[in-house]
Amino acid sequence: MALLLLLTYLAGVLTVRLGFPAFLGYLGVGIALGILGFPGDPLLELFAELGVYLLLFTVGLGLRLRRLTRREIWFTGAFKLLLIPVFALALYALGLGQNLLALLVLAVALINPSTVLLARVLQGKGELSALHGQLALGISVFLDVVSLALLILIGFQGVGPLGLLVLAFPLLRPLLARLFHLALSGELKLLFGVVLALLGAETARFLQAPEALGALFMGLGLSRYPGAGEVAERLWALREVFLVAFFLWAGMAVGPDGVLAGLVLLVLLGLKPVFLFLPLVHQGFRARTAFLVGVGLGTYSEFGLVVAGVLQGLGQMTPQGVGAVALAVGGSFLLGAPMVQKAHLLYERWKPWLKGWERPGLHPDEEPQGALGARWLVVGMGRTGAAAYRFLEEYGEGVLGLDSDPAKVEYHAAKGRRVLYGDADDPALWEGLDLNGVKGVVLAIPDLEARLRAARALRAKGFAGVVGAVSYAREEDGPLKEAGVDVIFQPLLEGGERLAERVLQRSEA
């Protein structure tokens, strides 16, 4: 086990140096082990399950239940369900089974994207709360719930009629809040988070529903409760370690069987983004938002592996069929993760063609245009950005906040602050803004690439004012300066220095 993790670590280092997320290296090691016939490890499988439960629990902590019922969520998800008969017929034509009902079950599972991969990549980029991130997650959860209902109706073995009770987990909020209130220390909050994630998964298993869905809806039960964000932060490192095992497990499922059928399923993967892009632009969203959502959901779900395994146990699928599904799922991870990582650049490349599909008029995700009358712009209204906004406002400066999370925009607007929707990753934001009279821009967004793109866009536009940005590691300082940032602030490092300075001053007083 130790040697396997060391090999995984080295693969992660290599992929990061190549400019890709580390988990692609983990997935590559898993695929290599699967092809070589590695038998697996019970501890690895346990860690993989824990990683998925903790990830989806923390995703649930950040979601709002009312967002899952919005029209754009269910309309887009329902449109994507039209792919079910297409996939069922394709599976039949590929010879992966003769029982049409069994193939319909597998088609339902394959329609779903991987919520685990989506959440992992979006969180790594700091886009989990962005509009397109929330739309993608909402649609993914909607499809998970609908798939569960369809599997119950079809009578799929392993999914029970009580499974839909997992949707009632958020009703436990008063009890969960009372229990959470008893945690007076950080380690107790961490323990409580782990307990809730496992409780959701194990209760879902008892109800014969997907365990991961139980963990997610248990997180929704504590969603937006004061202090829930601290639980998510404390679970972060633990979750990341366990997720290493998940990507190893997903890769190891890929074998040499069913190669041709697996490759055909990978080709069919191209239909999934199309069936997400079209309904979103039809509802008035910009091509950029629809494209980012489509790319984010353009993978197969790991749940497809589970369903294929159950069908094989029932004698409804051959080992070659299971191998084809495993190749398609693992291959979609390898193809999909870099696509999501580079989605903004891909959109800019295909922008002229994609914008031709937009509906005319104003869009619900429209970027602000023209002169905004502000002397300072604060981009990213999290804790650091909100503090910068308040400081400038107290000094009598005209300040405007921009954020890609509609919930944050609503929150600050309710506080009487001038905050608008604006995605710093979108070049259209900087192209449309009239920056005359703006003295400076504060970039307080978490993702380094987003800060770099925003700084370059500002300088390319000819902005000569001051650009300040946060930096979370000294290695980020050089690229930020090259991109045109004048002032760099390291909140973690400099916060400690300011605290020591004040303590020293107090001791000398």
XYZ file of all heavy atoms in Angstrom, residues 31-95:
512
model
N -5.318 3.238 -13.936
C -5.535 2.573 -15.226
C -4.401 1.592 -15.518
O -4.628 0.455 -15.958
C -5.661 3.617 -16.347
C -6.974 4.396 -16.184
C -5.608 2.957 -17.728
C -7.128 5.540 -17.158
N -3.160 2.026 -15.246
C -2.009 1.148 -15.473
C -2.102 -0.107 -14.599
O -1.840 -1.223 -15.059
C -0.714 1.907 -15.183
N -2.494 0.070 -13.351
C -2.629 -1.073 -12.452
C -3.736 -2.011 -12.917
O -3.606 -3.239 -12.837
C -2.926 -0.586 -11.029
C -1.793 0.142 -10.305
C -2.286 0.718 -8.993
C -0.615 -0.802 -10.053
N -4.851 -1.436 -13.415
C -5.950 -2.259 -13.895
C -5.551 -3.088 -15.101
O -5.890 -4.276 -15.202
N -4.820 -2.470 -16.031
C -4.374 -3.195 -17.226
C -3.395 -4.305 -16.862
O -3.394 -5.382 -17.461
C -3.739 -2.208 -18.228
C -4.827 -1.252 -18.769
C -3.062 -2.935 -19.373
C -4.293 -0.154 -19.654
N -2.563 -4.055 -15.824
C -1.578 -5.054 -15.382
C -2.200 -6.142 -14.508
O -1.503 -7.075 -14.108
C -0.442 -4.365 -14.627
C 0.446 -3.422 -15.462
C 1.418 -2.672 -14.567
C 1.207 -4.214 -16.523
N -3.487 -5.998 -14.199
C -4.170 -7.036 -13.427
C -3.984 -6.944 -11.928
O -4.094 -7.950 -11.222
N -3.721 -5.750 -11.405
C -3.572 -5.574 -9.955
C -4.884 -5.954 -9.268
O -5.953 -5.462 -9.638
C -3.208 -4.122 -9.641
C -2.985 -3.845 -8.186
C -1.861 -4.329 -7.532
C -3.902 -3.097 -7.458
C -1.646 -4.068 -6.192
C -3.708 -2.839 -6.115
C -2.569 -3.319 -5.478
N -4.856 -6.829 -8.266
C -6.093 -7.352 -7.667
C -6.850 -6.348 -6.815
O -7.996 -6.588 -6.443
C -5.601 -8.521 -6.821
C -4.195 -8.159 -6.462
C -3.643 -7.413 -7.652
N -6.251 -5.236 -6.469
C -6.929 -4.269 -5.616
C -6.572 -4.454 -4.155
O -5.832 -5.364 -3.777
N -7.135 -3.581 -3.307
C -6.832 -3.600 -1.891
C -8.080 -3.161 -1.132
O -8.647 -2.113 -1.439
C -5.662 -2.654 -1.591
C -5.171 -2.757 -0.161
O -5.967 -2.458 0.742
O -4.003 -3.125 0.049
N -8.549 -3.936 -0.137
C -9.766 -3.552 0.605
C -9.652 -2.182 1.252
O -10.623 -1.426 1.306
C -9.902 -4.667 1.658
C -9.136 -5.821 1.103
C -8.013 -5.230 0.305
N -8.442 -1.847 1.740
C -8.249 -0.553 2.377
C -8.400 0.571 1.360
O -8.974 1.631 1.655
C -6.865 -0.496 3.023
C -6.571 0.711 3.930
C -7.570 0.769 5.083
C -5.145 0.644 4.453
N -7.925 0.337 0.140
C -8.040 1.329 -0.922
C -9.507 1.589 -1.252
O -9.923 2.746 -1.431
C -7.296 0.844 -2.167
C -7.126 1.851 -3.313
C -6.183 2.970 -2.902
C -6.589 1.139 -4.550
N -10.291 0.523 -1.322
C -11.717 0.672 -1.626
C -12.435 1.427 -0.509
O -13.304 2.274 -0.778
C -12.348 -0.708 -1.819
C -13.777 -0.649 -2.318
C -14.323 -2.019 -2.672
O -13.519 -2.966 -2.801
O -15.545 -2.125 -2.822
N -12.063 1.156 0.733
C -12.669 1.863 1.868
C -12.346 3.347 1.805
O -13.225 4.204 1.986
C -12.162 1.263 3.179
C -12.579 1.992 4.458
C -14.094 1.962 4.624
C -11.890 1.382 5.680
N -11.070 3.675 1.548
C -10.666 5.076 1.444
C -11.399 5.779 0.305
O -11.775 6.947 0.414
C -9.162 5.179 1.224
C -8.333 4.953 2.469
C -8.935 4.639 3.675
C -6.951 5.037 2.425
C -8.182 4.424 4.813
C -6.186 4.832 3.562
C -6.802 4.525 4.758
N -11.584 5.064 -0.814
C -12.275 5.651 -1.965
C -13.706 6.028 -1.590
O -14.186 7.120 -1.938
C -12.276 4.672 -3.138
N -14.393 5.137 -0.891
C -15.764 5.423 -0.475
C -15.802 6.625 0.466
O -16.649 7.512 0.325
C -16.370 4.199 0.212
C -16.636 3.034 -0.727
C -17.243 1.844 -0.014
O -17.311 1.889 1.239
O -17.643 0.881 -0.684
N -14.873 6.671 1.421
C -14.841 7.788 2.370
C -14.590 9.110 1.646
O -15.196 10.135 1.984
C -13.750 7.547 3.420
C -14.032 6.453 4.456
C -12.805 6.219 5.328
C -15.224 6.837 5.324
N -13.703 9.099 0.663
C -13.417 10.313 -0.091
C -14.643 10.847 -0.804
O -14.915 12.054 -0.787
N -15.406 9.956 -1.432
C -16.626 10.362 -2.137
C -17.654 10.909 -1.144
O -18.270 11.957 -1.390
C -17.212 9.167 -2.919
C -18.591 9.507 -3.473
C -16.281 8.789 -4.054
N -17.845 10.220 -0.015
C -18.832 10.670 0.969
C -18.479 12.060 1.507
O -19.348 12.931 1.605
C -18.921 9.697 2.151
C -19.292 8.285 1.774
C -19.000 7.212 2.617
C -19.931 7.992 0.574
C -19.334 5.911 2.289
C -20.266 6.693 0.228
C -19.955 5.656 1.089
O -20.276 4.365 0.755
N -17.212 12.263 1.839
C -16.801 13.551 2.412
C -16.891 14.666 1.381
O -17.294 15.794 1.709
C -15.371 13.453 2.962
C -15.186 12.535 4.176
C -13.714 12.467 4.572
C -16.023 13.012 5.356
N -16.535 14.368 0.127
C -16.614 15.389 -0.914
C -18.060 15.836 -1.121
O -18.364 17.033 -1.115
C -16.036 14.866 -2.223
C -16.198 15.806 -3.430
C -15.399 17.087 -3.225
C -15.784 15.123 -4.718
N -18.963 14.882 -1.317
C -20.345 15.244 -1.608
C -21.042 15.828 -0.382
O -21.941 16.659 -0.521
C -21.107 14.042 -2.146
C -20.624 13.579 -3.527
C -21.481 12.452 -4.058
C -20.633 14.730 -4.520
N -20.619 15.435 0.811
C -21.159 16.067 2.014
C -20.784 17.550 2.057
O -21.626 18.406 2.328
C -20.638 15.348 3.262
C -21.029 16.018 4.559
C -22.327 15.938 5.023
C -20.088 16.735 5.282
C -22.697 16.568 6.222
C -20.445 17.357 6.472
C -21.747 17.278 6.937
N -19.522 17.863 1.767
C -19.101 19.270 1.775
C -19.738 20.050 0.632
O -20.025 21.245 0.771
C -17.565 19.384 1.692
O -17.086 18.668 0.548
C -16.905 18.831 2.935
N -19.983 19.401 -0.508
C -20.715 20.058 -1.595
C -22.127 20.411 -1.127
O -22.630 21.509 -1.380
C -20.769 19.154 -2.846
C -21.779 19.691 -3.860
C -19.397 19.074 -3.490
N -22.764 19.467 -0.429
C -24.101 19.726 0.103
C -24.117 20.892 1.076
O -25.079 21.666 1.116
N -23.043 21.057 1.857
C -22.966 22.176 2.802
C -23.010 23.528 2.085
O -23.488 24.516 2.647
C -21.671 22.091 3.627
C -21.574 20.991 4.682
C -20.190 21.005 5.331
C -22.647 21.163 5.741
N -22.516 23.562 0.846
C -22.457 24.818 0.119
C -23.611 25.056 -0.830
O -23.715 26.133 -1.432
N -24.498 24.067 -0.991
C -25.639 24.215 -1.898
C -26.832 24.809 -1.159
O -26.937 24.730 0.067
C -26.044 22.858 -2.475
C -25.249 22.323 -3.662
C -25.749 20.931 -4.022
C -25.357 23.235 -4.875
N -27.740 25.376 -1.941
C -29.018 25.819 -1.397
C -30.117 24.985 -2.034
O -30.178 24.883 -3.256
C -29.246 27.311 -1.662
C -28.334 28.206 -0.831
C -28.739 29.654 -0.952
N -27.922 30.500 -0.090
C -28.100 31.808 0.042
N -29.050 32.410 -0.655
N -27.337 32.511 0.830
N -30.981 24.443 -1.196
C -32.009 23.529 -1.687
C -32.908 24.196 -2.717
O -33.310 23.575 -3.703
C -32.837 23.006 -0.511
C -33.763 21.820 -0.796
C -32.941 20.628 -1.281
C -34.559 21.447 0.433
N -33.210 25.479 -2.521
C -34.122 26.145 -3.455
C -33.532 26.265 -4.848
O -34.267 26.382 -5.834
C -34.517 27.523 -2.922
C -33.370 28.523 -2.788
C -33.882 29.838 -2.200
N -32.813 30.802 -2.005
C -32.394 31.636 -2.944
N -32.941 31.604 -4.148
N -31.420 32.492 -2.698
N -32.201 26.228 -4.955
C -31.584 26.313 -6.279
C -31.835 25.053 -7.107
O -31.827 25.094 -8.329
C -30.075 26.532 -6.147
C -29.707 27.914 -5.628
C -28.211 28.117 -5.669
N -27.854 29.433 -5.154
C -26.612 29.870 -5.057
N -25.611 29.090 -5.442
N -26.343 31.066 -4.584
N -32.041 23.929 -6.422
C -32.255 22.672 -7.137
C -33.640 22.600 -7.769
O -33.902 21.716 -8.579
C -32.074 21.488 -6.181
C -30.715 21.394 -5.486
C -30.676 20.172 -4.589
C -29.595 21.341 -6.507
N -34.539 23.502 -7.386
C -35.899 23.482 -7.928
C -36.127 24.586 -8.953
O -37.258 24.775 -9.405
C -36.918 23.637 -6.782
O -36.682 24.873 -6.085
C -36.802 22.484 -5.796
N -35.096 25.314 -9.336
C -35.272 26.395 -10.305
C -35.542 25.826 -11.695
O -35.088 24.735 -12.041
C -34.028 27.288 -10.314
C -33.820 28.013 -8.993
C -32.597 28.867 -8.988
N -32.688 29.928 -9.983
C -31.927 31.030 -9.961
N -31.034 31.168 -8.992
N -32.050 31.941 -10.888
N -36.249 26.602 -12.489
C -36.704 26.134 -13.794
C -35.544 25.712 -14.681
O -35.613 24.671 -15.363
C -37.511 27.232 -14.486
C -38.027 26.841 -15.871
C -38.799 27.990 -16.503
N -39.339 27.603 -17.800
C -38.667 27.673 -18.938
N -37.413 28.110 -18.936
N -39.224 27.306 -20.080
N -34.467 26.497 -14.708
C -33.363 26.176 -15.601
C -32.694 24.846 -15.234
O -32.110 24.184 -16.084
C -32.311 27.292 -15.608
C -31.739 27.644 -14.249
C -32.449 28.784 -13.574
O -33.634 29.003 -13.891
O -31.827 29.456 -12.738
N -32.795 24.459 -13.955
C -32.221 23.189 -13.509
C -33.043 22.012 -14.040
O -32.528 21.128 -14.737
C -32.136 23.130 -11.968
C -31.229 24.242 -11.424
C -31.662 21.754 -11.524
C -29.787 24.098 -11.744
N -34.341 22.005 -13.690
C -35.142 20.836 -14.062
C -35.455 20.788 -15.553
O -35.551 19.711 -16.134
C -36.406 20.723 -13.218
C -37.383 21.870 -13.285
C -37.528 22.876 -12.362
C -38.367 22.104 -14.302
N -38.541 23.732 -12.746
C -39.075 23.278 -13.935
C -38.724 21.457 -15.475
C -40.116 23.809 -14.696
C -39.757 21.985 -16.245
C -40.437 23.148 -15.853
N -35.575 21.943 -16.207
C -35.849 21.923 -17.645
C -34.648 21.348 -18.406
O -34.798 20.501 -19.296
C -36.158 23.338 -18.146
C -36.461 23.406 -19.619
C -37.740 23.165 -20.100
C -35.461 23.699 -20.540
C -38.015 23.222 -21.465
C -35.714 23.755 -21.895
C -37.004 23.514 -22.351
N -33.449 21.810 -18.049
C -32.240 21.320 -18.722
C -32.010 19.843 -18.424
O -31.674 19.057 -19.313
C -31.017 22.143 -18.284
O -31.279 23.529 -18.488
C -29.782 21.747 -19.071
N -32.189 19.457 -17.149
C -32.020 18.049 -16.793
C -33.020 17.157 -17.500
O -32.674 16.073 -17.987
N -34.274 17.615 -17.586
C -35.304 16.825 -18.268
C -34.993 16.674 -19.751
O -35.219 15.607 -20.347
C -36.667 17.481 -18.072
N -34.450 17.726 -20.363
C -34.097 17.656 -21.791
C -33.004 16.610 -22.013
O -33.028 15.870 -22.998
C -33.633 19.030 -22.279
C -33.434 19.120 -23.760
C -34.503 19.351 -24.610
C -32.173 18.961 -24.317
C -34.324 19.428 -25.989
C -31.976 19.041 -25.690
C -33.064 19.271 -26.523
N -32.069 16.538 -21.071
C -30.977 15.579 -21.221
C -31.466 14.139 -21.103
O -30.842 13.216 -21.647
C -29.890 15.842 -20.178
C -28.602 15.078 -20.461
C -27.538 15.349 -19.441
C -26.278 14.554 -19.767
N -25.230 14.697 -18.744
N -32.602 13.933 -20.433
C -33.147 12.577 -20.306
C -33.559 11.996 -21.650
O -33.743 10.777 -21.775
C -34.354 12.582 -19.355
C -34.056 12.919 -17.883
C -35.350 12.980 -17.092
C -33.109 11.903 -17.277
N -33.706 12.856 -22.667
C -34.042 12.366 -24.006
C -32.937 11.476 -24.575
O -33.156 10.742 -25.542
C -34.285 13.551 -24.954
C -35.470 14.467 -24.611
C -35.509 15.655 -25.570
C -36.777 13.695 -24.649
N -31.748 11.529 -23.967
C -30.638 10.694 -24.428
C -30.770 9.236 -23.977
O -30.048 8.369 -24.484
C -29.305 11.251 -23.905
C -28.711 12.448 -24.660
C -27.468 12.945 -23.938
C -28.369 12.078 -26.090
N -31.651 8.956 -23.032
C -31.751 7.597 -22.494
C -32.047 6.564 -23.583
O -31.313 5.566 -23.706
C -32.805 7.529 -21.365
C -32.300 8.295 -20.145
C -33.096 6.077 -20.983
C -33.297 8.355 -19.003
N -33.090 6.748 -24.421
C -33.319 5.737 -25.476
C -32.186 5.660 -26.487
O -31.892 4.582 -27.015
C -34.633 6.198 -26.137
C -34.796 7.623 -25.761
C -34.152 7.765 -24.421
N -31.512 6.792 -26.731
C -30.381 6.789 -27.671
C -29.267 5.894 -27.140
O -28.722 5.044 -27.861
C -29.854 8.228 -27.886
C -28.613 8.214 -28.785
C -30.940 9.111 -28.488
N -28.946 6.030 -25.862
C -27.884 5.211 -25.274
C -28.306 3.755 -25.157
O -27.483 2.848 -25.346
C -27.489 5.775 -23.903
C -26.427 6.826 -23.960
C -26.741 8.137 -24.285
C -25.102 6.516 -23.718
C -25.767 9.106 -24.349
C -24.113 7.478 -23.780
C -24.448 8.787 -24.103
N -29.576 3.511 -24.836
C -30.049 2.129 -24.714
C -29.921 1.407 -26.055
O -29.459 0.252 -26.110
C -31.496 2.117 -24.229
N -30.313 2.066 -27.146
C -30.198 1.452 -28.473
C -28.740 1.255 -28.865
O -28.374 0.248 -29.481
C -30.910 2.327 -29.508
C -32.444 2.354 -29.415
C -33.017 3.377 -30.386
C -33.019 0.964 -29.692
N -27.880 2.210 -28.503
C -26.448 2.085 -28.810
C -25.847 0.898 -28.062
O -25.053 0.127 -28.627
C -25.724 3.373 -28.445
N -26.207 0.724 -26.798
C -25.708 -0.408 -26.015
C -26.165 -1.734 -26.618
O -25.406 -2.708 -26.652
C -26.199 -0.286 -24.568
C -25.628 0.879 -23.744
C -26.399 1.043 -22.440
C -24.150 0.673 -23.456
N -27.406 -1.756 -27.109
C -27.929 -2.968 -27.744
C -27.185 -3.256 -29.043
O -26.794 -4.405 -29.314
C -29.426 -2.802 -28.015
C -30.072 -3.996 -28.663
C -30.397 -5.129 -27.919
C -30.344 -4.002 -30.034
C -30.991 -6.239 -28.513
C -30.935 -5.104 -30.636
C -31.254 -6.212 -29.875
O -31.834 -7.302 -30.477
N -26.946 -2.204 -29.847
C -26.245 -2.379 -31.123
C -24.803 -2.834 -30.911
O -24.244 -3.563 -31.746
C -26.279 -1.075 -31.910
N -24.199 -2.415 -29.798
C -22.819 -2.812 -29.503
C -22.728 -4.236 -28.963
O -21.631 -4.740 -28.740
C -22.210 -1.835 -28.487
C -21.922 -0.407 -28.998
C -21.561 0.512 -27.840
C -20.802 -0.437 -30.041
N -23.867 -4.854 -28.711
C -23.869 -6.231 -28.228
C -23.503 -6.372 -26.764
O -23.003 -7.422 -26.342
